[in-house]
Amino acid sequence: MSRTGFCDSRQLLDLHMTEDRQAPLRVWANSCILRERRVFAEGDEVGSVHHCKPAQESRWVRRLSISAEDGIIMDYAPQDESDVYEEEALLQYLNRLPGPPSLRDLVPGLLRREVEVAISKLGLLYDQTYAWDIFLDMMRSQLLCTLPNADLPKPFTDTTRAILVDWLTQVHEVFQFSEETLYLAVHLLNRALRLIKVSISGLQLLGVVCLFLAAKKEECLLPEVSELCYLMENTYSKKQLLRMERRVLIGLKFDLYYCLPLHFLLITASIARCSDKWVWMARYLLELSLLERQCVVFLPSQLAGAALRLARRILQEAPTPDGETAWCIASSIHIGSEAALLSIMQIMAMAAARAHTRETRATFIKFSTIQTLHVSMHPALKAAPGFLGLSCPRI
Amino acid sequence: MEQESVVQYEPVAEIGGGAYGTVYKARDRDSGQFVALKSVRVQTNQDGLPLSTVREVALLKRLEQFDHPNIVRLMDVCATLRTDQETKVTLVFEHVDQDLRTYLEKVPAPGLPIQQIRDLMQQLLCGLAFLHSNRVLHRDLKPENILVTSRGQVKLADFGLARIYSCHMVLTPVVVTLWYRCPEVLLQTTYATPVDIWSTGCIFAEMFRRTPLFCGESEVDQLGKIFAVIGLPSEEEWPNDVTLSRQNFSPQNPQPITDCVPEISEKGAELLLEMLTFDPLKRISAFNALDHPFFTE
């Protein structure tokens, strides 16, 4: 098993875990100084502190860019031209440098470059200058996207939840929504279930409203409310649906943000130069995790990392030296413990081994098509729990 | 149950009718803190709450997670059903007593010391750079919605509201000030983040002058006042897709900016001119403005 934390990812870890504020943008670095400066501004000594003293975090980020730029990595993406202190810092850095930089120094810089390329390739932003900031933001914001425990409120069980998620997956396919919408909808559902009191008979309505709100956030074309009611066999009226929408929005306080595990998966896969089959397998495993109640406590990047790792184990593609190196760099993204990764992989492996026999098969069917390279039919999936030392379910 | 959240805030006073409706100062019954309530009535059609409202409010909530020091806190969002066709969305902001307008009015005779202007400008640009990097335009930046706390901390307010309001409100006959509006908006062409930089430039000059820089009475008058200072742009610079032609304005050469803002420093004048550049693409960005030598001179 490849190790996470290859080449001292502790810096990364510290950066994400110990900082108590939730704002990683470069702007934030600026405002941090401002905050420090506020103390001085009370008196009269204003002019003496300047913005050339970057805050802790931005200093770290800048140093990375320098280590990546000293000629060893050739096609490094150009930095913000406004950075006047770059050259001076580079000279300082070179003077301090005893010999060629060790691999340990290089990996964070490489990672940064790789992340920037991956994010632009995915079209997640308009301006590549912000790619690294956006990534740091994702790493931090995801901490707000987990639930404290996996408990379900009273009348609901694992099975009712799974049936609802499975039905939402089907509705989602009917409307040909983007994958993002499905992940967001299930996340909203997980949160709404705890915040809003609904009876068993209102559960489907709550689910469809979460999908409707996710579509309002992500999609260009919205389904009509009457279509949604029709899909529920007109059990509920349009008025009931719209009233539920308002209840959910108030319950969630209009907070519809979710840091998508799918985006972590695609970024990591792009860095790791994963084959198409590998990516589809990982996407399948990740989508299966939506059905599993226990997965709501894990970080989006952990879910993505576990899906990719498990897919790698299942497919057993022949390793190449380049591929191995790329995988090592990609692996340094993951945060959290090995134990957490292993438990997610175990949950996913069990889910994959049982997928074809369960009542909730929408995801299994979706990933059995030729467009998805038939990944859900892969013969090794039935034995997946075995790779992780679990006994395979009897079917 | 839906009423609950609004009952939590007890209105204390009406504070100004903004362009988009009345703003109330209220007390949070739970914490005793003062808050500012801004409500917008949205038409709820057969699709429920409009997509744009859902997105914009969600974006404001998201920005709130960053806890940026130069952005006014959004403390709560409430939604109440008024009729079947109308929902009232109330945004609950932290309340700051003083805006930049009253702050500047209170300044004694010789005006603000340049260090203080530098500090205010730096905070203002930090807040703006944060909004712009999150793809939020303010669109209506003026001294009235730049708040200054008693400790001198600048906080931008009312950002992003323009978009929530514009599509769904019943228009009120309130005149929106033109004084901080940039040429591309006055000429009704496309616009983006540089609009806020123009407004920031006008406000920067106003910090020295303590009166607004361009006080136009109509769109054309406003443009005329602008060109009297920055000069009439050349034929090439004039945008193609506008109804107002360049011939409507008399040819003028740029005036030295120090005629309008005599107290400004040399570097300050440079920065100001970079903000008051006619071509939005050549106008300085908030990020680059923060790196301007004015802040280190």
mmCIF file with all atom_site columns, all heavy atoms in Angstrom, chain A residues 21 37-38 130 137 216 219 245 253 257, chain B residues 47 49 55 61-62 67 76 122-123 287:
data_model
loop_
_atom_site.group_PDB
_atom_site.id
_atom_site.type_symbol
_atom_site.label_atom_id
_atom_site.label_alt_id
_atom_site.label_comp_id
_atom_site.label_asym_id
_atom_site.label_entity_id
_atom_site.label_seq_id
_atom_site.pdbx_PDB_ins_code
_atom_site.Cartn_x
_atom_site.Cartn_y
_atom_site.Cartn_z
_atom_site.occupancy
_atom_site.B_iso_or_equiv
_atom_site.pdbx_formal_charge
_atom_site.auth_seq_id
_atom_site.auth_comp_id
_atom_site.auth_asym_id
_atom_site.auth_atom_id
_atom_site.pdbx_PDB_model_num
ATOM 1   N N   . ARG A 1 21  ? -8.897  29.718 11.278  1.00 0.00 ? 21  ARG A N   1
ATOM 2   C CA  . ARG A 1 21  ? -9.742  30.527 10.389  1.00 0.00 ? 21  ARG A CA  1
ATOM 3   C C   . ARG A 1 21  ? -10.037 29.743 9.116   1.00 0.00 ? 21  ARG A C   1
ATOM 4   O O   . ARG A 1 21  ? -9.281  28.878 8.726   1.00 0.00 ? 21  ARG A O   1
ATOM 5   C CB  . ARG A 1 21  ? -9.028  31.823 10.023  1.00 0.00 ? 21  ARG A CB  1
ATOM 6   C CG  . ARG A 1 21  ? -8.769  32.674 11.228  1.00 0.00 ? 21  ARG A CG  1
ATOM 7   C CD  . ARG A 1 21  ? -9.816  33.756 11.322  1.00 0.00 ? 21  ARG A CD  1
ATOM 8   N NE  . ARG A 1 21  ? -9.787  34.355 12.636  1.00 0.00 ? 21  ARG A NE  1
ATOM 9   C CZ  . ARG A 1 21  ? -10.884 34.644 13.313  1.00 0.00 ? 21  ARG A CZ  1
ATOM 10  N NH1 . ARG A 1 21  ? -12.051 34.372 12.817  1.00 0.00 ? 21  ARG A NH1 1
ATOM 11  N NH2 . ARG A 1 21  ? -10.806 35.214 14.485  1.00 0.00 ? 21  ARG A NH2 1
ATOM 12  N N   . ARG A 1 37  ? -2.019  44.748 11.974  1.00 0.00 ? 37  ARG A N   1
ATOM 13  C CA  . ARG A 1 37  ? -1.724  46.170 11.950  1.00 0.00 ? 37  ARG A CA  1
ATOM 14  C C   . ARG A 1 37  ? -2.698  46.981 12.772  1.00 0.00 ? 37  ARG A C   1
ATOM 15  O O   . ARG A 1 37  ? -2.365  48.038 13.239  1.00 0.00 ? 37  ARG A O   1
ATOM 16  C CB  . ARG A 1 37  ? -1.751  46.681 10.512  1.00 0.00 ? 37  ARG A CB  1
ATOM 17  C CG  . ARG A 1 37  ? -0.514  46.355 9.760   1.00 0.00 ? 37  ARG A CG  1
ATOM 18  C CD  . ARG A 1 37  ? -0.479  47.187 8.527   1.00 0.00 ? 37  ARG A CD  1
ATOM 19  N NE  . ARG A 1 37  ? -0.683  48.600 8.842   1.00 0.00 ? 37  ARG A NE  1
ATOM 20  C CZ  . ARG A 1 37  ? -1.221  49.445 8.012   1.00 0.00 ? 37  ARG A CZ  1
ATOM 21  N NH1 . ARG A 1 37  ? -1.644  49.047 6.852   1.00 0.00 ? 37  ARG A NH1 1
ATOM 22  N NH2 . ARG A 1 37  ? -1.354  50.703 8.340   1.00 0.00 ? 37  ARG A NH2 1
ATOM 23  N N   . ARG A 1 38  ? -3.903  46.468 12.913  1.00 0.00 ? 38  ARG A N   1
ATOM 24  C CA  . ARG A 1 38  ? -4.908  47.227 13.649  1.00 0.00 ? 38  ARG A CA  1
ATOM 25  C C   . ARG A 1 38  ? -4.385  47.669 15.006  1.00 0.00 ? 38  ARG A C   1
ATOM 26  O O   . ARG A 1 38  ? -4.676  48.739 15.479  1.00 0.00 ? 38  ARG A O   1
ATOM 27  C CB  . ARG A 1 38  ? -6.180  46.404 13.845  1.00 0.00 ? 38  ARG A CB  1
ATOM 28  C CG  . ARG A 1 38  ? -6.929  46.149 12.579  1.00 0.00 ? 38  ARG A CG  1
ATOM 29  C CD  . ARG A 1 38  ? -8.247  46.899 12.538  1.00 0.00 ? 38  ARG A CD  1
ATOM 30  N NE  . ARG A 1 38  ? -8.088  48.305 12.842  1.00 0.00 ? 38  ARG A NE  1
ATOM 31  C CZ  . ARG A 1 38  ? -7.719  49.213 11.949  1.00 0.00 ? 38  ARG A CZ  1
ATOM 32  N NH1 . ARG A 1 38  ? -7.470  48.884 10.721  1.00 0.00 ? 38  ARG A NH1 1
ATOM 33  N NH2 . ARG A 1 38  ? -7.618  50.469 12.290  1.00 0.00 ? 38  ARG A NH2 1
ATOM 34  N N   . TYR A 1 130 ? -5.588  32.002 -9.719  1.00 0.00 ? 130 TYR A N   1
ATOM 35  C CA  . TYR A 1 130 ? -6.228  31.685 -8.448  1.00 0.00 ? 130 TYR A CA  1
ATOM 36  C C   . TYR A 1 130 ? -6.281  30.190 -8.162  1.00 0.00 ? 130 TYR A C   1
ATOM 37  O O   . TYR A 1 130 ? -6.834  29.781 -7.148  1.00 0.00 ? 130 TYR A O   1
ATOM 38  C CB  . TYR A 1 130 ? -7.646  32.246 -8.420  1.00 0.00 ? 130 TYR A CB  1
ATOM 39  C CG  . TYR A 1 130 ? -7.723  33.751 -8.479  1.00 0.00 ? 130 TYR A CG  1
ATOM 40  C CD1 . TYR A 1 130 ? -8.445  34.400 -9.461  1.00 0.00 ? 130 TYR A CD1 1
ATOM 41  C CD2 . TYR A 1 130 ? -7.059  34.521 -7.522  1.00 0.00 ? 130 TYR A CD2 1
ATOM 42  C CE1 . TYR A 1 130 ? -8.509  35.783 -9.506  1.00 0.00 ? 130 TYR A CE1 1
ATOM 43  C CE2 . TYR A 1 130 ? -7.118  35.898 -7.560  1.00 0.00 ? 130 TYR A CE2 1
ATOM 44  C CZ  . TYR A 1 130 ? -7.844  36.524 -8.553  1.00 0.00 ? 130 TYR A CZ  1
ATOM 45  O OH  . TYR A 1 130 ? -7.911  37.882 -8.597  1.00 0.00 ? 130 TYR A OH  1
ATOM 46  N N   . ASP A 1 137 ? -8.444  26.650 -0.550  1.00 0.00 ? 137 ASP A N   1
ATOM 47  C CA  . ASP A 1 137 ? -9.784  26.943 -0.057  1.00 0.00 ? 137 ASP A CA  1
ATOM 48  C C   . ASP A 1 137 ? -10.614 25.665 0.027   1.00 0.00 ? 137 ASP A C   1
ATOM 49  O O   . ASP A 1 137 ? -11.300 25.418 1.017   1.00 0.00 ? 137 ASP A O   1
ATOM 50  C CB  . ASP A 1 137 ? -10.409 27.965 -1.014  1.00 0.00 ? 137 ASP A CB  1
ATOM 51  C CG  . ASP A 1 137 ? -11.877 28.165 -0.765  1.00 0.00 ? 137 ASP A CG  1
ATOM 52  O OD1 . ASP A 1 137 ? -12.281 28.017 0.395   1.00 0.00 ? 137 ASP A OD1 1
ATOM 53  O OD2 . ASP A 1 137 ? -12.600 28.483 -1.717  1.00 0.00 ? 137 ASP A OD2 1
ATOM 54  N N   . LYS A 1 216 ? -31.177 24.165 -8.686  1.00 0.00 ? 216 LYS A N   1
ATOM 55  C CA  . LYS A 1 216 ? -31.210 25.627 -8.750  1.00 0.00 ? 216 LYS A CA  1
ATOM 56  C C   . LYS A 1 216 ? -29.815 26.204 -8.593  1.00 0.00 ? 216 LYS A C   1
ATOM 57  O O   . LYS A 1 216 ? -29.497 27.250 -9.129  1.00 0.00 ? 216 LYS A O   1
ATOM 58  C CB  . LYS A 1 216 ? -32.136 26.189 -7.659  1.00 0.00 ? 216 LYS A CB  1
ATOM 59  C CG  . LYS A 1 216 ? -33.600 26.124 -8.023  1.00 0.00 ? 216 LYS A CG  1
ATOM 60  C CD  . LYS A 1 216 ? -34.479 26.890 -7.060  1.00 0.00 ? 216 LYS A CD  1
ATOM 61  C CE  . LYS A 1 216 ? -35.918 26.885 -7.571  1.00 0.00 ? 216 LYS A CE  1
ATOM 62  N NZ  . LYS A 1 216 ? -36.853 27.557 -6.665  1.00 0.00 ? 216 LYS A NZ  1
ATOM 63  N N   . GLU A 1 219 ? -27.613 23.893 -12.059 1.00 0.00 ? 219 GLU A N   1
ATOM 64  C CA  . GLU A 1 219 ? -28.039 23.640 -13.434 1.00 0.00 ? 219 GLU A CA  1
ATOM 65  C C   . GLU A 1 219 ? -28.515 24.903 -14.148 1.00 0.00 ? 219 GLU A C   1
ATOM 66  O O   . GLU A 1 219 ? -28.903 25.876 -13.506 1.00 0.00 ? 219 GLU A O   1
ATOM 67  C CB  . GLU A 1 219 ? -29.198 22.632 -13.434 1.00 0.00 ? 219 GLU A CB  1
ATOM 68  C CG  . GLU A 1 219 ? -28.880 21.300 -12.786 1.00 0.00 ? 219 GLU A CG  1
ATOM 69  C CD  . GLU A 1 219 ? -27.932 20.458 -13.621 1.00 0.00 ? 219 GLU A CD  1
ATOM 70  O OE1 . GLU A 1 219 ? -27.890 20.647 -14.850 1.00 0.00 ? 219 GLU A OE1 1
ATOM 71  O OE2 . GLU A 1 219 ? -27.247 19.594 -13.043 1.00 0.00 ? 219 GLU A OE2 1
ATOM 72  N N   . GLU A 1 245 ? -39.787 23.530 0.108   1.00 0.00 ? 245 GLU A N   1
ATOM 73  C CA  . GLU A 1 245 ? -38.583 24.228 -0.357  1.00 0.00 ? 245 GLU A CA  1
ATOM 74  C C   . GLU A 1 245 ? -38.227 25.359 0.607   1.00 0.00 ? 245 GLU A C   1
ATOM 75  O O   . GLU A 1 245 ? -37.072 25.529 0.995   1.00 0.00 ? 245 GLU A O   1
ATOM 76  C CB  . GLU A 1 245 ? -38.799 24.809 -1.767  1.00 0.00 ? 245 GLU A CB  1
ATOM 77  C CG  . GLU A 1 245 ? -37.610 25.625 -2.233  1.00 0.00 ? 245 GLU A CG  1
ATOM 78  C CD  . GLU A 1 245 ? -37.849 26.368 -3.541  1.00 0.00 ? 245 GLU A CD  1
ATOM 79  O OE1 . GLU A 1 245 ? -38.608 27.360 -3.560  1.00 0.00 ? 245 GLU A OE1 1
ATOM 80  O OE2 . GLU A 1 245 ? -37.268 25.960 -4.541  1.00 0.00 ? 245 GLU A OE2 1
ATOM 81  N N   . LYS A 1 253 ? -30.521 27.603 6.430   1.00 0.00 ? 253 LYS A N   1
ATOM 82  C CA  . LYS A 1 253 ? -30.095 29.011 6.472   1.00 0.00 ? 253 LYS A CA  1
ATOM 83  C C   . LYS A 1 253 ? -29.513 29.442 5.121   1.00 0.00 ? 253 LYS A C   1
ATOM 84  O O   . LYS A 1 253 ? -28.528 30.192 5.084   1.00 0.00 ? 253 LYS A O   1
ATOM 85  C CB  . LYS A 1 253 ? -29.059 29.241 7.581   1.00 0.00 ? 253 LYS A CB  1
ATOM 86  C CG  . LYS A 1 253 ? -29.563 28.961 8.977   1.00 0.00 ? 253 LYS A CG  1
ATOM 87  C CD  . LYS A 1 253 ? -30.012 30.241 9.630   1.00 0.00 ? 253 LYS A CD  1
ATOM 88  C CE  . LYS A 1 253 ? -30.741 29.977 10.942  1.00 0.00 ? 253 LYS A CE  1
ATOM 89  N NZ  . LYS A 1 253 ? -31.760 30.975 11.190  1.00 0.00 ? 253 LYS A NZ  1
ATOM 90  N N   . TYR A 1 257 ? -23.599 25.417 0.270   1.00 0.00 ? 257 TYR A N   1
ATOM 91  C CA  . TYR A 1 257 ? -22.252 25.125 -0.194  1.00 0.00 ? 257 TYR A CA  1
ATOM 92  C C   . TYR A 1 257 ? -21.885 23.670 0.092   1.00 0.00 ? 257 TYR A C   1
ATOM 93  O O   . TYR A 1 257 ? -22.185 23.146 1.160   1.00 0.00 ? 257 TYR A O   1
ATOM 94  C CB  . TYR A 1 257 ? -21.252 26.061 0.494   1.00 0.00 ? 257 TYR A CB  1
ATOM 95  C CG  . TYR A 1 257 ? -19.840 25.738 0.098   1.00 0.00 ? 257 TYR A CG  1
ATOM 96  C CD1 . TYR A 1 257 ? -19.382 26.077 -1.171  1.00 0.00 ? 257 TYR A CD1 1
ATOM 97  C CD2 . TYR A 1 257 ? -18.996 25.056 0.963   1.00 0.00 ? 257 TYR A CD2 1
ATOM 98  C CE1 . TYR A 1 257 ? -18.107 25.754 -1.562  1.00 0.00 ? 257 TYR A CE1 1
ATOM 99  C CE2 . TYR A 1 257 ? -17.714 24.730 0.579   1.00 0.00 ? 257 TYR A CE2 1
ATOM 100 C CZ  . TYR A 1 257 ? -17.273 25.077 -0.685  1.00 0.00 ? 257 TYR A CZ  1
ATOM 101 O OH  . TYR A 1 257 ? -16.012 24.749 -1.075  1.00 0.00 ? 257 TYR A OH  1
ATOM 102 N N   . ASP B 2 47  ? -42.208 28.177 -9.909  1.00 0.00 ? 47  ASP B N   1
ATOM 103 C CA  . ASP B 2 47  ? -40.956 27.440 -9.695  1.00 0.00 ? 47  ASP B CA  1
ATOM 104 C C   . ASP B 2 47  ? -40.404 27.650 -8.297  1.00 0.00 ? 47  ASP B C   1
ATOM 105 O O   . ASP B 2 47  ? -39.253 27.326 -8.025  1.00 0.00 ? 47  ASP B O   1
ATOM 106 C CB  . ASP B 2 47  ? -39.892 27.880 -10.708 1.00 0.00 ? 47  ASP B CB  1
ATOM 107 C CG  . ASP B 2 47  ? -40.308 27.548 -12.123 1.00 0.00 ? 47  ASP B CG  1
ATOM 108 O OD1 . ASP B 2 47  ? -40.962 26.502 -12.298 1.00 0.00 ? 47  ASP B OD1 1
ATOM 109 O OD2 . ASP B 2 47  ? -39.994 28.334 -13.036 1.00 0.00 ? 47  ASP B OD2 1
ATOM 110 N N   . LEU B 2 49  ? -38.894 29.720 -5.096  1.00 0.00 ? 49  LEU B N   1
ATOM 111 C CA  . LEU B 2 49  ? -38.001 30.862 -4.962  1.00 0.00 ? 49  LEU B CA  1
ATOM 112 C C   . LEU B 2 49  ? -37.107 30.960 -6.196  1.00 0.00 ? 49  LEU B C   1
ATOM 113 O O   . LEU B 2 49  ? -36.551 29.962 -6.633  1.00 0.00 ? 49  LEU B O   1
ATOM 114 C CB  . LEU B 2 49  ? -37.147 30.668 -3.712  1.00 0.00 ? 49  LEU B CB  1
ATOM 115 C CG  . LEU B 2 49  ? -36.893 31.900 -2.859  1.00 0.00 ? 49  LEU B CG  1
ATOM 116 C CD1 . LEU B 2 49  ? -38.196 32.596 -2.499  1.00 0.00 ? 49  LEU B CD1 1
ATOM 117 C CD2 . LEU B 2 49  ? -36.155 31.507 -1.614  1.00 0.00 ? 49  LEU B CD2 1
ATOM 118 N N   . ARG B 2 55  ? -29.223 31.433 -5.501  1.00 0.00 ? 55  ARG B N   1
ATOM 119 C CA  . ARG B 2 55  ? -27.772 31.435 -5.726  1.00 0.00 ? 55  ARG B CA  1
ATOM 120 C C   . ARG B 2 55  ? -27.075 32.585 -5.020  1.00 0.00 ? 55  ARG B C   1
ATOM 121 O O   . ARG B 2 55  ? -26.025 32.401 -4.414  1.00 0.00 ? 55  ARG B O   1
ATOM 122 C CB  . ARG B 2 55  ? -27.484 31.556 -7.214  1.00 0.00 ? 55  ARG B CB  1
ATOM 123 C CG  . ARG B 2 55  ? -27.649 30.241 -7.907  1.00 0.00 ? 55  ARG B CG  1
ATOM 124 C CD  . ARG B 2 55  ? -27.169 30.314 -9.328  1.00 0.00 ? 55  ARG B CD  1
ATOM 125 N NE  . ARG B 2 55  ? -27.623 29.114 -10.020 1.00 0.00 ? 55  ARG B NE  1
ATOM 126 C CZ  . ARG B 2 55  ? -27.492 28.913 -11.307 1.00 0.00 ? 55  ARG B CZ  1
ATOM 127 N NH1 . ARG B 2 55  ? -26.911 29.819 -12.052 1.00 0.00 ? 55  ARG B NH1 1
ATOM 128 N NH2 . ARG B 2 55  ? -27.917 27.804 -11.857 1.00 0.00 ? 55  ARG B NH2 1
ATOM 129 N N   . LYS B 2 61  ? -23.806 33.632 1.898   1.00 0.00 ? 61  LYS B N   1
ATOM 130 C CA  . LYS B 2 61  ? -23.562 32.727 3.025   1.00 0.00 ? 61  LYS B CA  1
ATOM 131 C C   . LYS B 2 61  ? -22.169 32.116 2.932   1.00 0.00 ? 61  LYS B C   1
ATOM 132 O O   . LYS B 2 61  ? -21.472 31.937 3.918   1.00 0.00 ? 61  LYS B O   1
ATOM 133 C CB  . LYS B 2 61  ? -24.597 31.592 3.035   1.00 0.00 ? 61  LYS B CB  1
ATOM 134 C CG  . LYS B 2 61  ? -25.938 31.971 3.559   1.00 0.00 ? 61  LYS B CG  1
ATOM 135 C CD  . LYS B 2 61  ? -25.910 32.304 5.023   1.00 0.00 ? 61  LYS B CD  1
ATOM 136 C CE  . LYS B 2 61  ? -25.838 31.058 5.901   1.00 0.00 ? 61  LYS B CE  1
ATOM 137 N NZ  . LYS B 2 61  ? -25.992 31.418 7.321   1.00 0.00 ? 61  LYS B NZ  1
ATOM 138 N N   . ARG B 2 62  ? -21.794 31.786 1.713   1.00 0.00 ? 62  ARG B N   1
ATOM 139 C CA  . ARG B 2 62  ? -20.488 31.165 1.486   1.00 0.00 ? 62  ARG B CA  1
ATOM 140 C C   . ARG B 2 62  ? -19.368 32.161 1.815   1.00 0.00 ? 62  ARG B C   1
ATOM 141 O O   . ARG B 2 62  ? -18.387 31.817 2.454   1.00 0.00 ? 62  ARG B O   1
ATOM 142 C CB  . ARG B 2 62  ? -20.415 30.733 0.023   1.00 0.00 ? 62  ARG B CB  1
ATOM 143 C CG  . ARG B 2 62  ? -19.058 30.391 -0.503  1.00 0.00 ? 62  ARG B CG  1
ATOM 144 C CD  . ARG B 2 62  ? -18.741 28.944 -0.253  1.00 0.00 ? 62  ARG B CD  1
ATOM 145 N NE  . ARG B 2 62  ? -17.412 28.625 -0.742  1.00 0.00 ? 62  ARG B NE  1
ATOM 146 C CZ  . ARG B 2 62  ? -16.404 28.296 0.034   1.00 0.00 ? 62  ARG B CZ  1
ATOM 147 N NH1 . ARG B 2 62  ? -16.570 28.239 1.334   1.00 0.00 ? 62  ARG B NH1 1
ATOM 148 N NH2 . ARG B 2 62  ? -15.233 28.008 -0.459  1.00 0.00 ? 62  ARG B NH2 1
ATOM 149 N N   . ASP B 2 67  ? -15.045 34.873 6.927   1.00 0.00 ? 67  ASP B N   1
ATOM 150 C CA  . ASP B 2 67  ? -14.887 35.759 8.061   1.00 0.00 ? 67  ASP B CA  1
ATOM 151 C C   . ASP B 2 67  ? -13.878 36.867 7.756   1.00 0.00 ? 67  ASP B C   1
ATOM 152 O O   . ASP B 2 67  ? -12.971 37.145 8.542   1.00 0.00 ? 67  ASP B O   1
ATOM 153 C CB  . ASP B 2 67  ? -14.429 34.924 9.274   1.00 0.00 ? 67  ASP B CB  1
ATOM 154 C CG  . ASP B 2 67  ? -14.625 35.669 10.576  1.00 0.00 ? 67  ASP B CG  1
ATOM 155 O OD1 . ASP B 2 67  ? -15.380 36.642 10.585  1.00 0.00 ? 67  ASP B OD1 1
ATOM 156 O OD2 . ASP B 2 67  ? -13.984 35.289 11.566  1.00 0.00 ? 67  ASP B OD2 1
ATOM 157 N N   . ASP B 2 76  ? -27.592 36.254 9.651   1.00 0.00 ? 76  ASP B N   1
ATOM 158 C CA  . ASP B 2 76  ? -28.743 35.357 9.557   1.00 0.00 ? 76  ASP B CA  1
ATOM 159 C C   . ASP B 2 76  ? -29.511 35.660 8.270   1.00 0.00 ? 76  ASP B C   1
ATOM 160 O O   . ASP B 2 76  ? -29.395 36.757 7.722   1.00 0.00 ? 76  ASP B O   1
ATOM 161 C CB  . ASP B 2 76  ? -29.649 35.601 10.777  1.00 0.00 ? 76  ASP B CB  1
ATOM 162 C CG  . ASP B 2 76  ? -30.593 34.433 11.040  1.00 0.00 ? 76  ASP B CG  1
ATOM 163 O OD1 . ASP B 2 76  ? -30.531 33.450 10.274  1.00 0.00 ? 76  ASP B OD1 1
ATOM 164 O OD2 . ASP B 2 76  ? -31.377 34.508 11.990  1.00 0.00 ? 76  ASP B OD2 1
ATOM 165 N N   . GLN B 2 122 ? -6.297  50.983 2.131   1.00 0.00 ? 122 GLN B N   1
ATOM 166 C CA  . GLN B 2 122 ? -5.768  49.615 2.106   1.00 0.00 ? 122 GLN B CA  1
ATOM 167 C C   . GLN B 2 122 ? -6.842  48.616 2.553   1.00 0.00 ? 122 GLN B C   1
ATOM 168 O O   . GLN B 2 122 ? -7.015  47.566 1.935   1.00 0.00 ? 122 GLN B O   1
ATOM 169 C CB  . GLN B 2 122 ? -4.539  49.517 3.005   1.00 0.00 ? 122 GLN B CB  1
ATOM 170 C CG  . GLN B 2 122 ? -3.792  48.223 2.779   1.00 0.00 ? 122 GLN B CG  1
ATOM 171 C CD  . GLN B 2 122 ? -2.398  48.261 3.355   1.00 0.00 ? 122 GLN B CD  1
ATOM 172 O OE1 . GLN B 2 122 ? -2.162  48.927 4.361   1.00 0.00 ? 122 GLN B OE1 1
ATOM 173 N NE2 . GLN B 2 122 ? -1.478  47.563 2.744   1.00 0.00 ? 122 GLN B NE2 1
ATOM 174 N N   . GLN B 2 123 ? -7.573  48.982 3.588   1.00 0.00 ? 123 GLN B N   1
ATOM 175 C CA  . GLN B 2 123 ? -8.634  48.086 4.057   1.00 0.00 ? 123 GLN B CA  1
ATOM 176 C C   . GLN B 2 123 ? -9.743  47.960 3.008   1.00 0.00 ? 123 GLN B C   1
ATOM 177 O O   . GLN B 2 123 ? -10.258 46.874 2.764   1.00 0.00 ? 123 GLN B O   1
ATOM 178 C CB  . GLN B 2 123 ? -9.228  48.626 5.348   1.00 0.00 ? 123 GLN B CB  1
ATOM 179 C CG  . GLN B 2 123 ? -8.245  48.652 6.499   1.00 0.00 ? 123 GLN B CG  1
ATOM 180 C CD  . GLN B 2 123 ? -8.962  49.008 7.786   1.00 0.00 ? 123 GLN B CD  1
ATOM 181 O OE1 . GLN B 2 123 ? -9.905  48.322 8.187   1.00 0.00 ? 123 GLN B OE1 1
ATOM 182 N NE2 . GLN B 2 123 ? -8.548  50.076 8.425   1.00 0.00 ? 123 GLN B NE2 1
ATOM 183 N N   . PHE B 2 287 ? -6.045  43.872 -6.565  1.00 0.00 ? 287 PHE B N   1
ATOM 184 C CA  . PHE B 2 287 ? -4.799  43.209 -6.135  1.00 0.00 ? 287 PHE B CA  1
ATOM 185 C C   . PHE B 2 287 ? -3.583  44.081 -6.415  1.00 0.00 ? 287 PHE B C   1
ATOM 186 O O   . PHE B 2 287 ? -2.744  44.300 -5.550  1.00 0.00 ? 287 PHE B O   1
ATOM 187 C CB  . PHE B 2 287 ? -4.610  41.893 -6.899  1.00 0.00 ? 287 PHE B CB  1
ATOM 188 C CG  . PHE B 2 287 ? -5.138  40.720 -6.152  1.00 0.00 ? 287 PHE B CG  1
ATOM 189 C CD1 . PHE B 2 287 ? -5.961  39.795 -6.781  1.00 0.00 ? 287 PHE B CD1 1
ATOM 190 C CD2 . PHE B 2 287 ? -4.800  40.520 -4.819  1.00 0.00 ? 287 PHE B CD2 1
ATOM 191 C CE1 . PHE B 2 287 ? -6.450  38.709 -6.092  1.00 0.00 ? 287 PHE B CE1 1
ATOM 192 C CE2 . PHE B 2 287 ? -5.283  39.434 -4.121  1.00 0.00 ? 287 PHE B CE2 1
ATOM 193 C CZ  . PHE B 2 287 ? -6.118  38.533 -4.766  1.00 0.00 ? 287 PHE B CZ  1
#
